[in-house]
Amino acid sequence: MAEAHQAVGFRSSLTSDGAEVELSAPVLQEIYLSGLRSWKRHLLRFWNDFLTGVFPASPLSWLFLFSTIQLSWFLQLDPSLGLMEKIKELLPDWGARHHGLRGVLAAALFASCLWGALIFTLHVALRLLLSYHGWLLEPHGAMSSPTKTWLALVRIFSGRHPMLFSYQRSLPRQPVPSVQDTVRKYLESVRPVLSDEDFDWTAVLAQEFLRLQASLLQWHLRLKSWWASNYVSDWWEEFVYLRARTPLMVNSNYYMMDFLYVTPTPLQAARAGNAVHALLLYRHRLNRQEIPPTLLMGMRPLCSAQYEKIFNTTRVPGVQKDYIHHLCDSRHVAVFHRGRFFRVGTHSSNGLLSPRALEQQFQRILDDPSPACPHEEHLAALTAAPRGMWAEVRRSLKTRAAEALEAVEGAAFFVSLDSEPAGLTREDPAASLDAYAHALLAGRGHDRWFDKSFTLIVFSNGKLGLSVEHSWADCPISGHMWEFTLATECFQLGYSADGHCKGRPDPALPQPRRLQWDLPDQIHPSISLALTGAKALSANVDCHVFPFAHFGKSFIRRCRLSSDSFIQIALQLAHFRDRGHFCLTYESAMTRLFLEGRTETVRSCTREACSFVRAMEDREKTDPQCLALFRVAVDKHQALLKAAMSGQGVDRHLFALYIVSRFLRLQSPFLAQVYSEQWQLSTSQIPVQQMHLFDVHNYPDYVSSGGGFGPADDHGYGVSYIFMGDDMITFHISSKKSSTKTDSHRLGQHIEDALLDVASLFQTGQHLKRRFRALGEEDSRHRCGFPSSTGGSKASMTSSNC
């Protein structure tokens, strides 16, 4: 979600005080180390690899094969065609008494070899099948005979009841695109935003790059793709995230919201108890690989590698580069409340604590009257400071407060019990949602531990939220966990009539342990400086959230269009009306069809989209003409999205070429220009992956309202959106208040208008614009009486749990 800001700023991570930092390691050595890291990860997962590596077979299948061979041997049949006799001859002779044992061992060895050969054949066949991407290129709603045949074969070779990592060995590696194709697609993508003179100059640089440097850089990338698991993902993690020296807050983290209209209980400790218990249940299922792998079309598996670091993970700051510290297990959470830190155990001798017991522990913290120690209250602001500064301070902190620091960094995750309420309110729905988003993204600058993989935020009125560090995984992974958490804590665990967690407290539990920080005097100025910077960064973010309920996915589906492409083209129209010009647009697409794939960029501002926008602003153009151009723009966006998902995107390939050029110390004016560009519009769709957990028809309010991230550019916007059920879309918009060119609320109004204008082009949607324009300030587009995105009237809400 927030990766566009890091993608723009990663070049600064290769500089120090304005001077270029050379990557001293030879490129071949770096490629060798990339492969070594890949193999090391496989060895560390040896046991899980054994359990899942035999998939789609199972250990029982070996027993069945061995029993069949033994039975055949008993019936004086030799299925091995003499091989078992040769194996027996190679075994030691233990005498006549053990002659039968030699036969059993020979049968076991032959069965093992045959079993392994069959599994290897299945893996190779499945990998070849999964390398087929023709299904992606087919028209929406259509399926050719080859694709039907492919689906049938995948179903045959995939086996039954896969575990989370069952498909990892069978996933293909991400291909390295043709450098000529990448450069051609890049030039096509920048044509709408460059003048004729600038485009001609860029084309000259591109041709010079292809002639002089491209082949050498491409050769190194192909070498890495053969040796390492993924030719780009480890460099993406290192250079885009871990080497970035800017603060994590706003620049890199992102947030996820609770239910929009419903809060299951107003009791803060109870909501925290159920949520923490649900998260740890998810971790338990994750450790046992009981989470089903994500399947596209119910058949095509996605890579599950990113799930490994959800819990027990901290990003540790370094002077020049951070690193990710992951523990195999952790049996406590770190809790922050009113400037104090606590260690709360999550397990007893009988296993995981019940929700009611966890609620009791959180209530003890809320009832604790002890004050924060000097400077302890603002200590976490250091995690929102520039990374180099925090790394220097952490060295001192580790020598004087090692136990407390270890308790926080070694926790399963971080919990912040906020003293203020949040969420949708009757008094000012629009402002309250904006404040809710801002509290999740930045808080007060000192009440989140931004280094942790995620922070669970529980507000005083029982509202929940999540702040997520980005380097370890992308949004769909944390989103999957969050969907499980909300569904489990609300529907599975539930609450008693008085709002408490179900069950009984456990008075025998020890009190939560208060963490003691011995803060040396020399770090006090650093804490104050970090707090000042965090407050300034937080105050500069303009967040705006609005649910759009005129129509949703069902209307777009009736128009026979891709819902994501529909929104993306409408965003181009909205942004043009807001700024008066076109700009490079970043949309995040996943590449998890490949082993250890992460994301690729879809450059949504295409010539086709620009033609549609100009037509919409031209009063002489008729609706049928605009509709035809809109369909062309949607088709183009779909083609770009499918190319990105199938490993044929532009930006990751150019990024990897740039990194190789830095290792080789080759100066490339073309690549330098590519990474001098700014993404003034960064967008992302938050997928809903587990609709079976929610009953959207009977309980439409019980769906997560998505999340958001900070803008990628000081004069740009960050826009995320989620389809809530079939008839609502929630938008999250961010920008910088310091910019005179942007206004999140203004863009929100333009998005609303653009969506209605686009919908009115369709015969089935013409009534929408007339209907809701007539309603004006009193429009009823939001359930619970939510007003228009610019504020609107304050109608009464129908839900008592808003």
Side-chain angles (χ1 to χ4, degrees), residues 722-771:
I722 183 172
F723 292 93
M724 298 174 60
D726 287 334
D727 301 306
M728 180 178 287
I729 313 167
T730 300
F731 287 89
H732 300 251
I733 307 170
S734 67
S735 60
K736 295 289 184 69
K737 294 180 180 178
S738 58
S739 174
T740 59
K741 301 177 181 179
T742 57
D743 185 312
S744 297
H745 294 73
R746 185 182 68 208
L747 181 63
Q749 185 62 61
H750 285 307
I751 290 174
E752 178 186 357
D753 294 339
L755 287 170
L756 288 173
D757 287 344
V758 172
S760 69
L761 298 176
F762 297 85
Q763 186 175 2
T764 57
Q766 288 175 357
H767 71 284
L768 291 170
K769 186 174 180 179
R770 294 193 298 267
R771 174 188 172 191

Side-chain angles (χ1 to χ4, degrees), residues 318-319 382 385-394 525-527 529-531:
V319 175
L382 290 168
R387 304 304 288 171
M389 170 186 171
W390 169 214
E392 295 287 356
V393 175
R394 185 179 175 276
S526 298
I527 295 175
L529 183 62
L531 179 64

Side-chain angles (χ1 to χ4, degrees), residues 18 30 47 75 129 326 328 343 397 432 473 503 555 608 642-643 651 662 674 699 784:
E30 177 59 28
W47 179 242
L75 297 175
L129 287 170
H326 174 71
C328 294
R343 184 188 189 277
L397 200 62
S432 63
F555 169 79
E608 292 79 2
K642 292 174 179 179
D651 288 86
R662 291 301 307 273
V674 170
Y699 302 98
C784 295

Side-chain angles (χ1 to χ4, degrees), residues 334-375:
V335 182
F336 181 88
H337 176 60
R338 288 198 299 110
R340 304 158 304 161
F341 293 82
F342 295 84
R343 184 188 189 277
V344 176
T346 56
H347 292 71
S348 67
S349 57
N350 298 322
L352 178 61
L353 292 181
S354 68
R356 189 68 179 89
L358 288 168
E359 177 190 350
Q360 169 188 297
Q361 296 297 78
F362 292 127
Q363 190 61 52
R364 286 174 172 176
I365 293 175
L366 294 174
D367 295 339
D368 187 337
S370 61
C373 297
H375 297 282

Side-chain angles (χ1 to χ4, degrees), residues 36 51 123 190 250 286 288 328 422 451 477 518 533 613 624 693 750:
L36 207 60
L51 294 177
H123 281 171
V190 299
V250 177
L286 178 64
R288 295 171 62 90
C328 294
D451 289 355
I477 306 302
D518 181 12
V613 170
L693 297 178
H750 285 307

Side-chain angles (χ1 to χ4, degrees), residues 179-335:
V179 68
Q180 289 81 8
D181 286 346
T182 296
V183 171
R184 175 183 57 79
K185 292 176 183 178
Y186 169 78
L187 291 175
E188 181 183 345
S189 73
V190 299
R191 187 64 190 93
V193 300
L194 294 180
S195 65
D196 292 342
E197 182 181 353
D198 289 340
F199 178 77
D200 291 341
W201 174 244
T202 302
V204 170
L205 294 180
Q207 292 304 315
E208 182 182 354
F209 169 73
L210 289 174
R211 183 171 56 87
L212 298 178
Q213 299 158 326
S215 58
L216 177 61
L217 303 182
Q218 183 80 345
W219 181 86
H220 283 88
L221 282 190
R222 291 194 182 279
L223 179 64
K224 185 185 178 186
S225 72
W226 296 333
W227 170 243
S229 299
N230 191 289
Y231 83 91
V232 66
S233 289
D234 60 331
W235 284 349
W236 183 256
E237 178 181 294
E238 176 181 351
F239 292 102
V240 170
Y241 292 113
L242 300 183
R243 284 185 180 266
R245 301 295 83 195
T246 54
L248 299 184
M249 186 182 79
V250 177
N251 297 318
S252 180
N253 73 313
Y254 57 92
Y255 66 86
M256 310 204 77
M257 279 188 170
D258 196 358
F259 302 124
L260 185 60
Y261 298 105
V262 176
T263 306
T265 177
L267 302 180
Q268 184 178 18
R271 195 80 196 278
N274 259 9
V276 169
H277 187 86
L279 284 165
L280 293 174
L281 286 178
Y282 187 88
R283 185 180 70 168
H284 178 72
R285 295 187 64 192
L286 178 64
N287 291 339
R288 295 171 62 90
Q289 297 192 35
E290 294 174 352
I291 299 171
T294 303
L295 303 175
L296 291 185
M297 304 171 60
M299 193 57 59
R300 178 56 169 93
L302 301 183
C303 180
S304 301
Q306 296 180 49
Y307 283 91
E308 294 180 345
K309 296 178 181 177
I310 294 181
F311 297 95
N312 327 321
T313 299
T314 296
R315 175 171 169 172
V316 179
V319 175
Q320 293 187 349
K321 171 188 170 183
D322 296 354
Y323 67 92
I324 297 177
H325 180 57
H326 174 71
L327 300 175
C328 294
D329 192 23
S330 177
R331 300 172 73 86
H332 74 277
V333 293
V335 182

